[in-house]
Amino acid sequence: MSRNAPIGIFDSGMGGLSVWRELRRELPCESVVYLADGKNCPYGERSAEEIASLTRAAVEELLARGAKLIIVACNTATAMAIDMLRKDYDIPFVGMEPAVKPAALSSRSGVIGILATQAALAGGLFRATSARYSSQVEILSAVGEGFVEVVERGAEESPEAESLVRRVLEPMIEAGADRIVLGCTHYPFLEGSMRRVIGTREVELVNPAPAVVRRAKWLLEQSGELAEEGHKAELSFVTFADDEYLARLKARATNIDECR
């Protein structure tokens, strides 16, 4: 496979652009195909069978477009389907790790909060990671009810968004959490609302996206498949939704790329 083949990124919707943004910062020479399902978003309350089927369809599409490595930039799909993907396909996959470890090791209060979807919190990876650190810190978890839908509508700076964030975040902070893990790739787009809720309190948000991109870079370095220096990146976007959704996806990505 050509070194200049694209990296594939898949998410249920637009949230994975938080990973796409980090990839563009870290590896600007890499071509990228971003697939946002859009039609079936959100995944958080779907069954494991549904999520596996939707994820497989996305992977097949990215492979058809020549992806050399695929980032499953969806915590729910990672939790429910990453083992299946690694067994069934001969290509590297990078999933979204629940960033419990860095939060637990850096916490000063001994209390950390995890914001995620219902499916991600039920996943074996999160449960195993939490069990590993539960003797060191108290782990509070909550579903970001309505978070994904607000981001999909582009309303993350609205009063509605701040109200949703406050409802979930405030109890964690009052319980002593000084690290809040963003366990869904849509959630970093609500950082503005989160920081307004946090105010002057010493609480840090933990976004796993940079670590995921570093892992992808390392894998490509090991296989000798990093894009050639100076290669002009080609950026393309795909969705299972309609043309209006695709237009909004491209517009948001363009704005992110200009601001990164």
Side-chain angles (χ1 to χ4, degrees), residues 12-248:
S12 64
M14 300 193 190
L17 289 173
S18 62
V19 179
W20 184 88
R21 173 174 56 195
E22 297 299 329
L23 185 65
R24 293 289 296 137
R25 287 171 176 164
E26 183 71 21
L27 297 171
C29 294
E30 294 288 345
S31 293
V32 187
V33 180
Y34 182 97
L35 191 154
D37 179 332
K39 182 179 179 181
N40 302 289
C41 183
Y43 283 7
E45 296 182 4
R46 293 184 178 274
S47 70
E49 291 75 19
E50 283 182 291
I51 294 165
S53 176
L54 294 169
T55 300
R56 188 182 293 277
V59 166
E60 293 285 352
E61 182 68 28
L62 290 172
L63 291 176
R65 293 171 181 269
K68 62 184 176 183
L69 174 148
I70 294 176
I71 298 175
V72 183
C74 174
N75 295 73
T76 299
T78 297
M80 296 291 118
I82 196 75
D83 291 339
M84 171 199 75
L85 297 177
R86 288 172 173 156
K87 178 171 67 73
D88 292 352
Y89 296 94
D90 186 24
I91 185 174
F93 288 94
V94 180
M96 300 303 299
E97 294 284 339
V100 176
K101 179 180 177 179
L105 295 180
S106 65
S107 175
R108 294 183 297 275
S109 69
V111 182
I112 66 172
I114 313 292
L115 296 177
T117 66
Q118 183 174 311
L121 291 174
L125 189 56
F126 171 72
R127 292 200 308 270
T129 307
S130 296
R132 196 174 306 136
Y133 293 96
S134 60
S135 63
Q136 300 178 34
V137 293
E138 181 182 356
I139 300 174
L140 310 173
S141 61
V143 174
E145 295 284 356
F147 287 17
V148 172
E149 291 85 347
V150 163
V151 172
E152 286 292 300
R153 296 200 309 270
E156 54 266 32
E157 292 299 325
S158 67
E160 177 194 2
E162 187 168 332
S163 176
L164 288 170
V165 166
R166 186 175 300 279
R167 188 182 309 158
V168 177
L169 214 60
E170 196 67 49
M172 287 185 168
I173 298 171
E174 289 181 354
D178 66 346
R179 299 290 183 275
I180 304 291
V181 175
L182 306 181
C184 170
T185 52
H186 282 79
Y187 295 0
F189 289 110
L190 290 164
E191 183 175 337
S193 292
M194 291 180 183
R195 294 203 179 282
R196 285 190 290 275
V197 171
I198 291 168
T200 60
R201 292 173 290 190
E202 294 185 1
V203 178
E204 291 185 16
L205 302 174
V206 182
N207 180 2
V212 168
V213 170
R214 287 195 297 271
R215 174 65 177 169
K217 180 180 180 181
W218 183 86
L219 287 171
L220 292 174
E221 286 174 338
Q222 295 304 301
S223 62
E225 290 186 307
L226 275 177
E228 297 170 5
E229 192 68 32
H231 172 251
K232 182 173 175 54
E234 296 181 12
L235 308 176
S236 54
F237 301 88
V238 189
T239 183
F240 295 147
D242 56 20
D243 290 342
E244 186 271 337
Y245 187 92
L246 182 60
R248 289 197 294 113

